[in-house]
Amino acid sequence: MSEKAQIGVTGLAVMGRNLARNFARHGHTVAVHNRSYSRTKELVEEFGDEGTFIPSESAEDFVASLERPRRVVIMVKAGGPTDAVIEEFAPLLEEGDMLIDAGNAHYLDTRRREAALKERGLHFVGTGVSGGEEGALHGPSIMPGGSVESYQALGPLLEDISAKVDGEPCCVHVGPDGAGHFVKMVHNGIEYADMQLIAEAYDLLRQVGGHSPSEIADVFRGWNEGRLGSYLIEITAEVLKQTDAETGKPFVDIVLDQAEQKGTGRWTVQAALDLGVPVSGIAESVFARALSGGADVRAAAAESGLPGPKATAGAHGGDLQADVEQALFASKIVAYAQGFQQIQAASKEYGWEIDPGAMAKIWRAGCIIRAKFLDFIKQAYDKSPELTTLLVDEYFLDAVSGAQDAWRRVVVTAAQHGIPAPGFASALAYYDGLRAERLPAALIQGQRDFFGAHTYHRVDKEGSFHTLWATEDRKEIDA
């Protein structure tokens, strides 16, 4: 075989096929392989005119068709299937070659795989890819981890096929080993929170405002022209405007109200717990999906007639639409602030040296959470790379401060009407927790010391202390 491919893709389901097509469309010769050869054949037959593909039926032929260093993109299901592909291809590769996992892998799996393959002289590049099947084809946001050396050989190809903003690629080397997949995981966690907040905004406008889905679609279209402008706001308007052809009802009314999830939001919360970072907004969005999917529990509650207030359209005491927009924007800021804090905590924990401003930059296009205000996040970290939380940056501080009264009215209205708004409420509670001069955690420390001798610190002197609670005089001692 005379012609060699610059990059190869194994696993040609929708995402893998579209990535391969994207590479080919950008003038790169692409080796393609799938466990079932029929899928490889279909790709070449249907899209062969888009560029140069080299199809292979066997793993051996696929590897042989690649130039050195070989770049093999793996696009299969996370977990066991990824490990199986690695074990199939690793023995066929040579020192300096690289395996690129572009699926939604858990970052700890990526760290394990990277360490194991490094011992074999191979580069393992855990790469987050966001944008869905359309992004994969037309330009996704790409978050590669791995070694600096691997990025030197791989980066130009990934940057070439990524989304662009003002000519700048939405792709950057995130950091070593699992950094890329960690950042993609948090991206998805923020996505969960964003979607939950949008759903709560819709629910309030419908149940309290009395608006139809079509009317709310127009509201969202208007919001998309302003500071809330984003991909998720844009598609929300499209979904709400849709009418079901069979029944003539609004599309949103014929969809079962049980939200599903693939796990990345849950991983984000689990990782945050391990790191000790409060991502309450993301956690509430994960739990809200779990509650929606708990059909048996919800049915039992409905059967028992759990009492609650009656939601009365129009009873808010303010401009509901304007207040919800304020609450949505403020809560969205909190979700992003929590996500970026988690990225910074993981970067410190694992020595990744992630640039948070660069993450905001590559999320401006191609990905699901792309939004206008990501420019402001980038600017915030450009001004202060060690920023502890986005909420203290001047732009976000002003935005949240200005939204505060409306935000509180929305949370109160939701509670008074019995409308669940865990996203709005938890975001506000987080904000109030941050700004509180003193938290009731002091009482919790006292309780912990009482039942478990866990000690406490004082506000007026250094050291750890314990009160002898079981004694009559309850003397305090140094711990």
Side-chain angles (χ1 to χ4, degrees):
M1 182 186 297
S2 57
E3 187 174 22
K4 295 279 187 178
Q6 284 84 55
I7 195 157
V9 179
T10 180
L12 300 176
V14 176
M15 284 292 289
R17 180 187 66 193
N18 282 3
L19 270 182
R21 291 173 61 197
N22 194 348
F23 281 118
R25 286 176 167 193
H26 281 81
H28 305 290
T29 300
V30 187
V32 287
H33 169 267
N34 194 75
R35 190 170 292 276
S36 166
Y37 185 63
S38 60
R39 187 168 278 176
T40 309
K41 206 171 158 190
E42 285 168 14
L43 167 61
V44 177
E45 287 174 355
E46 194 171 349
F47 304 108
D49 60 345
E50 294 184 342
T52 305
F53 298 99
I54 301 177
S56 295
E57 194 162 358
S58 70
E60 291 80 4
D61 287 347
F62 174 70
V63 169
S65 70
L66 291 163
E67 67 179 28
R68 299 288 315 280
R70 300 182 182 94
R71 308 168 188 91
V72 177
V73 178
I74 300 170
M75 288 301 295
V76 300
K77 287 183 180 178
T82 299
D83 283 321
V85 171
I86 290 169
E87 284 312 306
E88 179 181 11
F89 282 94
L92 305 175
L93 300 176
E94 299 174 77
E95 188 172 345
D97 290 347
M98 60 195 76
L99 285 164
I100 303 114
D101 179 6
N104 275 334
H106 195 288
Y107 76 100
L108 292 178
D109 284 340
T110 302
R111 298 194 82 210
R112 166 180 60 79
R113 291 164 181 153
E114 196 267 349
L117 289 169
K118 187 184 288 183
E119 292 183 4
R120 299 162 77 162
L122 301 176
H123 296 286
F124 186 74
V125 184
T127 302
V129 177
S130 178
E133 59 185 85
E134 286 301 303
L137 180 60
H138 300 293
S141 173
I142 309 178
M143 296 150 261
S147 66
V148 172
E149 185 185 350
S150 66
Y151 192 76
Q152 288 170 347
L154 175 66
L157 279 80
L158 297 182
E159 291 175 14
D160 196 22
I161 69 160
S162 72
K164 308 291 188 301
V165 175
D166 299 327
E168 292 185 290
C170 291
C171 173
V172 71
H173 182 228
V174 176
D177 57 76
H181 275 147
F182 187 92
V183 165
K184 174 56 166 55
M185 176 190 75
V186 175
H187 164 285
N188 285 22
I190 294 171
E191 178 186 308
Y192 273 55
D194 213 343
M195 293 170 72
Q196 175 64 27
L197 293 168
I198 289 170
E200 291 176 18
Y202 151 76
D203 207 19
L204 283 159
L205 291 174
R206 190 161 190 191
Q207 294 206 53
V208 180
H211 300 296
S212 68
S214 180
E215 290 169 338
I216 299 170
D218 291 335
V219 172
F220 275 88
R221 279 180 179 158
W223 287 351
N224 196 48
E225 297 301 314
R227 61 182 183 172
L228 277 169
S230 66
Y231 174 70
L232 285 172
I233 293 289
E234 178 188 337
I235 67 168
T236 297
E238 294 299 319
V239 172
L240 289 174
K241 205 74 173 176
Q242 181 73 5
T243 299
D244 176 53
E246 189 175 330
T247 63
K249 294 179 180 179
F251 170 79
V252 73
D253 287 347
I254 58 91
V255 177
L256 189 66
D257 63 338
Q258 295 178 19
E260 298 176 2
Q261 52 185 309
K262 290 188 174 179
T264 46
R266 186 166 61 247
W267 290 352
T268 304
V269 177
Q270 290 167 340
L273 289 170
D274 291 337
L275 291 164
V277 178
V279 294
S280 51
I282 297 171
E284 287 293 353
S285 68
V286 175
F287 292 140
R289 290 197 191 191
L291 189 150
S292 77
D296 293 346
V297 180
R298 290 175 63 195
E303 219 173 282
S304 70
L306 286 180
K310 273 237 187 274
T312 306
H316 173 62
D319 184 337
L320 180 68
Q321 185 177 315
D323 282 359
V324 170
E325 190 272 347
Q326 293 267 30
L328 179 55
F329 192 62
S331 300
K332 181 186 178 86
I333 290 170
V334 168
Y336 278 76
Q338 291 177 351
F340 274 88
Q341 186 186 353
Q342 183 174 0
I343 289 171
Q344 288 172 292
S347 181
K348 185 176 180 182
E349 174 74 17
Y350 297 112
W352 286 336
E353 297 185 358
I354 297 173
D355 176 357
M359 299 307 99
K361 180 179 172 182
I362 66 171
W363 288 350
R364 292 180 300 165
C367 70
I368 303 301
I369 64 171
R370 58 186 184 264
K372 289 179 182 177
F373 90 145
L374 280 160
D375 278 319
F376 293 102
I377 295 179
K378 181 185 180 301
Q379 290 168 22
Y381 285 112
D382 284 348
K383 282 187 294 182
S384 179
E386 301 303 317
L387 191 66
T388 53
T389 173
L390 282 172
L391 291 168
V392 300
D393 173 75
E394 185 179 0
Y395 172 81
F396 295 107
L397 179 62
D398 288 347
V400 174
S401 298
Q404 188 180 164
D405 291 344
W407 196 3
R408 295 184 191 283
R409 281 195 297 271
V410 166
V411 171
V412 168
T413 294
Q416 288 177 333
H417 287 73
I419 298 170
F424 287 149
S426 69
L428 182 58
Y430 176 85
Y431 171 77
D432 283 337
L434 280 188
R435 67 173 194 83
E437 188 176 335
R438 187 163 171 80
L439 292 167
L443 176 58
I444 294 170
Q445 280 301 94
Q447 294 169 332
R448 293 179 73 245
D449 190 61
F450 191 106
F451 67 68
H454 292 300
T455 77
Y456 52 88
H457 297 283
R458 295 177 60 98
V459 298
D460 53 1
K461 54 186 172 183
E462 296 293 318
S464 296
F465 302 91
H466 168 58
T467 292
L468 300 173
W469 297 100
T471 64
E472 192 174 336
D473 63 355
R474 293 190 169 176
K475 181 183 176 183
E476 182 180 80
I477 61 172
D478 291 333

